[in-house]
């Protein structure tokens, strides 16, 4: 947790932003894996609850009564049987005091609070629920069917939370730097272990172990695969093969649940082929280009398309694309190679505040998503950058056989793509390079003191000098 004043200040600001009514912030409950007493581990608290109430125990709810200027931490104290198995923990009253909340009450009191608010026709604000047990709880408390809860969630509260959580405080940036340090260990471990004959599953498992050893958990399921063209390729039992590329997309959460998210693509045998270097150098240039143009006041959607134009120019040099660059990008031809956005917001969630709705997090009234065009419809972040934002910079080039076949059969963007040349790349896989960048007063910078190798010579040198026997 941060200091008590952090949470007092955040809740006070939230009251001002929302204005009136009652705010209910639901913490998470334990989630059973394959039985009621065998839960997923470690427990993961809801990020917005953590942001305002700071406590990492299951079965808690925070209530902020704006009109009466009162705050209450709701939850049941554990009993002696829980203490026998899991040890003593602070009482709900103690936890409330630790974060500057004056009132505490058992869970049954939440129904009384809600009934009183409903009877007085007061506005009850809650965020869109994403766990089914919380949906059932809301149904019981407010009578709103789970199928209607997303639409019934408070837009005022969503916008207030997005506004407050988007720009990171100095202490949050320190946590993100700690996450970056764990991320460095994860990715360099993957580079050291990667060699022909080792399974994807083994490397991926070791990478997960680093996150668990130095922080709370992985920030998302680790992607480690020789099939880099599959965006979310989970590690399989396939053995790594010489001549192929391994793509590792992994991140960690600190004990305070701030995230890292990096991707590296490196040769299984430690040496890039010339064809791999030709594609890799384009992704490398696009990755570095984003660092040059991202700064406060610039729309991230413009950074994305600037990267797409650079990528198109370079792919034309290899004969994979053709025609006018501006027209090609406008038509979405680049999405053959880059079917996702340049990046996303990041913080306590790896896709920061994703549960609140990407249209509110990555976009705003000025910048709206284009949901019609393939590739462009996958952009998670388009709004103007502000100092304190943390975003990912993750360009990639992928050769997806099914996508090549589909576009070739339909003639989609045929005036900008060389399908004959594309056919020869169906066995290539994919390359992505990803880092987390902090928007500063005048530009941006990497998060993390130690840079995970990504320039080709640095990657090859690291793998040659640090490979396990």
């Amino acid at each position: 947790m941060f200091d008590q004043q952090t949470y007092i200040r955040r809740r006070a600001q939230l009251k001002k932003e929302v204005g009136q009514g009652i705010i209910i912030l639901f913490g998470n409950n334990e989630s059973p894996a394959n039985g009621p007493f065998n839960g997923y581990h470690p427990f993961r608290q809801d990020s917005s609850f953590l942001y305002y109430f700071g406590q990492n125990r299951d079965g808690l709810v925070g209530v902020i009564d704006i009109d009466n200027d009162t705050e209450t931490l709701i939850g049941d104290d554990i009993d002696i049987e829980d203490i026998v198995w899991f040890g003593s923990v602070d009482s709900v009253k103690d936890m409330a005091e630790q974060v500057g909340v004056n009132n505490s009450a058992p869970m049954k009191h939440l129904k009384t609070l809600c009934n009183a608010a409903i009877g007085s026709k007061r506005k009850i604000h809650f965020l869109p629920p994403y766990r089914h047990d919380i949906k059932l709880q809301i149904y019981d408390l407010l009578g709103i069917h789970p199928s209607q809860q997303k639409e019934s969630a408070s837009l005022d509260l969503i916008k207030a939370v997005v506004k407050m959580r988007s720009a990171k405080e100095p202490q949050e940036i320190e946590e993100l730097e700690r996450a970056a340090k764990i991320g460095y260990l994860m990715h360099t471990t993957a580079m050291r272990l990667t060699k022909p004959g080792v399974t994807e599953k083994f490397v991926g498992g070791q990478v997960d172990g680093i996150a668990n050893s130095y922080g709370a958990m992985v920030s998302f399921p680790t992607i480690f695969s020789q099939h880099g063209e599959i965006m979310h390729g989970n590690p399989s039992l396939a053995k790594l093969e010489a001549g192929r590329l391994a793509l590792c997309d992994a991140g960690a959460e600190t004990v305070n649940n701030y995230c890292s998210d990096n991707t590296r693509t490196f040769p299984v045998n430690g040496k890039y082929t010339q064809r791999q270097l030709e594609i890799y150098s384009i992704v490398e240039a696009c990755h570095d280009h984003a660092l040059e143009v991202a700064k406060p006041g610039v729309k991230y959607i413009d950074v994305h398309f600037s990267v797409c134009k650079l990528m198109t120019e370079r792919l034309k040099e290899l004969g994979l694309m053709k025609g006018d660059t501006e027209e090609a990008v406008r038509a979405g031809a680049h999405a053959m190679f880059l079917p996702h956005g340049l990046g996303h917001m990041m913080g306590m969630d790896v896709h920061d505040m994703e549960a609140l709705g990407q249209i509110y997090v990555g976009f705003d009234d000025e910048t709206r998503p284009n949901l019609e065009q393939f590739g462009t419809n996958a952009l998670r972040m388009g709004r103007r950058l502000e100092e304190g934002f943390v975003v990912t910079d993750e360009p990639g080039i992928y050769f997806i056989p099914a996508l090549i076949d589909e576009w070739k059969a339909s003639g989609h963007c045929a005036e900008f793509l060389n399908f004959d040349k594309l056919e020869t790349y169906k066995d290539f896989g994919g390359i992505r390079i990803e880092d987390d960048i902090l928007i500063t007063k005048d530009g941006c910078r990497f998060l993390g003191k130690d840079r995970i190798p990504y320039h080709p010579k640095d990657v090859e040198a690291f793998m040659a000098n640090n490979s396990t026997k």
Side-chain angles (χ1 to χ4, degrees):
M1 284 196 305
F2 298 128
D3 64 275
Q4 183 190 75
Q5 288 302 313
T6 292
Y7 303 104
I8 293 174
R9 172 175 47 78
R10 287 174 176 175
R11 292 192 300 271
Q13 183 62 34
L14 185 64
K15 292 175 193 175
K16 292 179 182 178
E17 297 290 342
V18 177
Q20 62 180 358
I22 293 181
I23 297 170
I24 302 179
L25 293 173
F26 293 88
N28 284 335
N29 300 310
E30 288 280 11
S31 297
N34 61 343
F37 304 111
N38 189 19
Y40 284 101
H41 182 80
F43 167 73
R44 180 52 158 93
Q45 185 61 281
D46 175 78
S47 296
S48 290
F49 179 88
L50 269 178
Y51 188 83
Y52 294 103
F53 284 89
Q55 294 292 357
N56 206 18
R57 205 205 84 175
D58 63 302
L60 299 174
V61 178
V63 178
I64 302 173
D65 188 329
I66 303 172
D67 307 318
N68 294 307
D69 195 23
T70 61
E71 301 169 352
T72 306
L73 183 65
I74 304 283
D76 295 327
D77 289 326
I78 67 170
D79 58 24
I80 189 61
E81 291 207 12
D82 290 323
I83 292 172
V84 168
W85 290 101
F86 301 109
S88 296
V89 297
D90 293 334
S91 68
V92 175
K93 182 177 184 294
D94 290 338
M95 287 190 287
E97 291 174 353
Q98 289 163 8
V99 293
V101 174
N102 292 327
N103 305 298
S104 62
M107 188 59 69
K108 64 182 180 181
H109 186 62
L110 184 57
K111 181 69 171 175
T112 302
L113 288 176
C114 290
N115 286 345
I118 293 169
S120 301
K121 295 183 168 32
R122 299 174 65 198
K123 174 68 175 176
I124 299 177
H125 304 271
F126 63 89
L127 296 173
Y130 53 89
R131 288 192 173 188
H132 290 88
D133 55 335
I134 302 300
K135 291 181 179 181
L136 291 174
Q137 190 174 10
I138 292 173
Y139 186 34
D140 179 57
L141 292 168
L142 306 179
I144 304 172
H145 193 275
S147 64
Q148 299 173 321
Q149 290 172 11
K150 183 177 180 180
E151 292 73 21
S152 299
S154 169
L155 187 55
D156 290 336
L157 180 58
I158 290 171
K159 289 185 175 181
V161 172
V162 170
K163 180 180 178 180
M164 291 183 65
R165 286 182 57 189
S166 290
K168 304 302 183 281
E169 303 167 353
Q171 59 190 346
E172 292 182 282
I173 294 169
E174 290 177 8
E175 281 294 320
L176 289 164
E177 296 279 13
R178 294 186 185 100
K181 185 175 182 179
I182 303 172
Y184 172 85
L185 295 173
M186 295 170 74
H187 281 271
T188 52
T189 294
M191 289 181 180
R192 285 199 301 269
L193 294 175
T194 292
K195 59 185 176 181
V198 175
T199 66
E200 296 175 358
K201 189 83 169 172
F202 176 79
V203 178
Q206 298 298 308
V207 167
D208 287 354
I210 295 293
N212 296 335
S213 299
Y214 291 92
M217 57 190 293
V218 293
S219 54
F220 58 95
T222 294
I223 298 165
F224 185 84
S225 176
Q226 294 172 104
H227 285 282
E229 77 279 9
I230 300 174
M231 301 298 121
H232 292 167
N234 293 325
S236 73
L237 288 173
K239 292 183 177 180
L240 300 178
E241 300 174 10
R244 298 186 68 175
L245 294 169
L247 186 149
C248 182
D249 188 344
E253 289 192 11
T254 67
V255 292
N256 285 322
N257 300 107
Y258 283 82
C259 299
S260 69
D261 183 7
N262 300 93
T263 306
R264 293 295 186 264
T265 311
F266 38 89
V268 169
N269 62 354
K271 188 77 174 175
Y272 293 100
T273 67
Q274 182 58 37
R275 187 170 78 146
Q276 289 167 351
L277 279 174
E278 289 172 351
I279 300 299
Y280 192 100
S281 67
I282 300 175
V283 181
E284 177 189 18
C286 291
H287 169 275
D288 292 352
H289 178 67
L291 291 167
E292 296 172 3
V293 297
K295 60 183 179 181
V298 173
K299 293 180 184 178
Y300 209 52
I301 195 170
D302 291 338
V303 181
H304 169 83
F305 282 117
S306 182
V307 163
C308 293
K309 291 171 186 176
L310 173 59
M311 181 181 294
T312 299
E313 283 290 327
R314 294 286 298 272
L315 287 169
K316 282 164 60 178
E317 294 173 6
L318 291 181
L320 286 162
M321 295 190 72
K322 58 187 177 181
D324 181 79
T325 296
E326 294 281 347
E327 291 183 9
V329 171
R330 194 177 301 116
H334 63 280
M336 164 62 75
F337 308 94
L338 180 62
H340 60 74
L342 179 62
H344 50 80
M345 295 276 264
M346 199 188 72
M348 294 180 83
D349 309 306
V350 71
H351 293 157
D352 211 17
M353 299 173 281
E354 183 176 41
L356 305 186
Q358 206 65 52
I359 195 170
Y360 305 117
V361 179
F363 297 89
D364 53 23
D365 292 339
E366 177 191 20
T367 308
R368 309 304 293 166
N370 177 355
L371 302 178
E372 303 301 321
Q373 187 181 70
F374 177 81
T376 306
N377 62 359
L379 267 65
R380 293 180 179 271
M381 174 63 183
R383 59 190 279 208
R384 287 190 190 277
L385 298 169
E386 298 179 22
E387 183 178 0
F389 281 15
V390 174
V391 295
T392 60
D393 165 24
E394 49 181 305
I397 292 179
Y398 315 92
F399 295 90
I400 307 168
L403 188 62
I404 294 171
D405 291 343
E406 181 174 314
W407 283 26
K408 183 178 181 179
S410 67
H412 183 63
C413 288
E415 63 270 40
F416 304 115
L417 297 168
N418 186 339
F419 286 108
D420 289 341
K421 189 75 175 283
L422 274 168
E423 285 287 337
T424 68
Y425 279 80
K426 280 186 172 180
D427 63 346
F428 186 92
I431 293 172
R432 180 165 65 254
I433 305 172
E434 176 183 13
D435 281 300
D436 308 322
I437 58 177
L438 169 69
I439 305 303
T440 60
K441 182 178 179 180
D442 302 314
C444 66
R445 69 168 177 86
F446 283 126
L447 282 172
K449 179 173 65 73
D450 299 317
R451 184 67 39 238
I452 306 166
Y454 75 93
H455 296 302
K457 289 185 178 180
D458 294 339
V459 172
E460 292 177 343
F462 184 90
M463 295 183 72
N465 296 329
N466 296 278
S467 177
T468 58
K469 300 299 182 182

